[in-house]
Amino acid sequence: MQNLTLNTGSQLPALGLGTWKSKPGEVYQAILQAIQIGYRHFDCAAIYGNESEIGQAFQEAFQKGWVTRQELWITSKLWCNAHHAENVQTALQKTLNDLSLDYLDLYLIHWPVVLQPTSMFAAKASDLIPLKEVPTIETWQALESCVQAGLSKNIGVSNFSVNKLSELLAQTSTTPAMNQIELHPLLQQKEMLDYCKTVGVQLTAYSPLGSKDRAAALRSANEPSLLENTTILDIASTHNCTAAQVLIKWALQRGTAVIPKSVNPKRLKENFEAQELTLSSQAMQEISTLDKHFRFVNGAFWAVEGSDYTVAKLWDE
Ligand code: A2P
């Protein structure tokens, strides 16, 4: 399995299993199947509402002797309602309890957005707190303390623009090890790739298959389909593989980590086997022409009228 070296020296298995949208009733089996197939990197988050089932599956796999804790890479994310410094460690401890672990490999700030500690989502403007009132550096320093306390080996961010990353970098000597963002052929983010390379931040690609299973409220009408894109399908046919495998291998060949989600045994295996492919330079070139800067997860759910958040400010574009 291909590894990425983080700026801390840690080795991250580049292909991981996404667990966003994996329902509590199905994620337990999916994790066990994934471990048997060979997955060693699992991407979790408190807000996905399934960490305790995932933790039970890890425990089962450890007890059965399939894998040791040290052989797994487990990432989780701090939800937006725990950005105040005094709430960070409590939130991480809750995630560790749910996952039945005593440390994470990577803990990320899930969004550059602050919610009131009592709010889970932004239903109204008063659920949100302007970012300048709880600046990212405050949350970041609390994450640094979590590393010192041995609760996470690495820390990073998610959904950060180049601007927000560079602002954070200017204020800290601890460069985030990771920025987890949406990346796929319709959203290639070349500028972000180049910037992260210069400053030593690795990238993880989320929604690499287009996250078709998002709730209806998070989907827009007539959005494009990655898995049915004719260029991707043509490349799949010339490489004797599936469209999903092309999308996964494209992310790996660009040097990013990638976390396709599946709870289906056949697709878990198919996605894992994408690692064995090699996409031709012509295929990589053809895919590079597909960029539309199209976001499946556009963050509009944060842009509540009357709040300080807009989609343009979120992505700085
Ligand atoms: P399922 O969990 O039933 O396999 P993303 O990783 O971009 O969020 O996409 C996840 C969606 O893609 C889910 O609906 C998942 O369904 C589906 N999916 C995962 N792997 C494949 C695959 N190999 N072929 C087609 N669809 C897939």
Side-chain angles (χ1 to χ4, degrees):
M1 188 183 303
Q2 186 184 323
N3 281 337
L4 295 180
T5 305
L6 305 189
N7 58 23
T8 53
S10 291
Q11 295 280 312
L12 164 77
L15 175 62
L17 179 67
T19 64
W20 174 40
K21 309 174 263 73
S22 297
K23 297 191 186 71
E26 48 194 25
V27 74
Y28 175 82
Q29 280 306 328
I31 298 284
L32 289 178
Q33 283 152 357
I35 290 175
Q36 283 182 300
I37 290 167
Y39 286 83
R40 294 294 177 262
H41 164 186
F42 295 87
D43 183 78
C44 312
I47 197 61
Y48 301 162
N50 53 11
E51 288 194 321
S52 56
E53 289 76 10
I54 293 174
Q56 285 163 26
F58 290 150
Q59 282 306 306
E60 170 100 24
F62 299 152
Q63 275 155 22
K64 289 205 154 100
W66 292 351
V67 81
T68 63
R69 169 67 188 95
Q70 293 67 36
E71 286 168 323
L72 296 187
W73 180 285
I74 302 165
T75 299
S76 186
K77 312 185 193 85
L78 176 76
W79 189 235
C80 307
N81 63 356
H83 275 216
H84 291 91
E86 68 271 22
N87 295 333
V88 170
Q89 197 157 322
T90 315
L92 172 50
Q93 199 56 64
K94 161 92 170 73
T95 267
L96 288 171
N97 292 347
D98 285 348
L99 289 170
S100 298
L101 301 175
D102 49 21
Y103 71 91
L104 291 177
D105 296 280
L106 179 60
Y107 198 45
L108 307 176
I109 298 179
H110 205 149
W111 287 91
V113 171
V114 187
L115 283 169
Q116 296 286 353
T118 50
S119 302
M120 290 299 279
F121 294 103
K124 51 191 184 311
S126 60
D127 289 323
L128 287 156
I129 302 176
L131 198 51
K132 58 183 174 303
E133 283 182 31
V134 188
T136 303
I137 187 62
E138 171 182 334
T139 311
W140 185 249
Q141 284 166 349
L143 257 67
E144 291 179 294
S145 307
C146 293
V147 174
Q148 280 145 23
L151 302 178
S152 187
K153 300 226 182 273
N154 298 278
I155 49 176
V157 297
S158 179
N159 294 301
F160 271 48
S161 65
V162 167
N163 272 11
K164 290 190 177 70
L165 252 182
S166 62
E167 268 173 38
L168 177 58
L169 256 62
Q171 297 172 73
T172 176
S173 55
T174 314
T175 301
M178 176 62 66
N179 188 19
Q180 181 178 130
I181 54 172
E182 182 180 338
L183 284 173
H184 45 68
L186 302 177
L187 183 69
Q188 302 193 11
Q189 309 220 48
K190 184 76 174 56
E191 186 202 349
M192 174 71 79
L193 243 75
D194 292 343
Y195 174 74
C196 284
K197 199 169 236 174
T198 25
V199 294
V201 176
Q202 294 284 11
L203 288 165
T204 297
Y206 77 65
S207 296
L209 309 179
S211 292
K212 282 180 306 185
D213 54 344
R214 276 168 300 138
L218 298 180
R219 288 201 303 263
S220 52
N222 306 324
E223 65 182 28
S225 166
L226 271 173
L227 289 165
E228 288 159 26
N229 180 286
T230 51
T231 305
I232 300 294
L233 286 169
D234 286 348
I235 293 170
S237 130
T238 57
H239 287 71
N240 204 14
C241 67
T242 67
Q245 288 176 321
V246 171
L247 295 166
I248 294 165
K249 188 63 196 202
W250 174 81
L252 295 173
Q253 272 184 225
R254 281 177 110 206
T256 67
V258 61
I259 46 168
K261 170 265 175 185
S262 182
V263 290
N264 172 289
K266 185 177 153 286
R267 291 190 284 274
L268 281 166
K269 191 160 182 293
E270 174 185 327
N271 296 348
F272 193 74
E273 287 171 353
Q275 293 178 101
E276 290 158 24
L277 284 171
T278 304
L279 296 178
S280 65
S281 48
Q282 189 191 335
M284 292 301 282
Q285 168 57 32
E286 282 168 19
I287 298 174
S288 73
T289 66
L290 299 180
D291 196 12
K292 287 188 161 45
H293 207 68
F294 177 83
R295 293 181 190 278
F296 290 104
V297 181
N298 63 15
F301 43 87
W302 295 124
V304 178
E305 214 179 306
S307 79
D308 200 42
Y309 294 88
T310 63
V311 171
K313 275 163 83 174
L314 180 65
W315 305 118
D316 296 302
E317 56 192 32

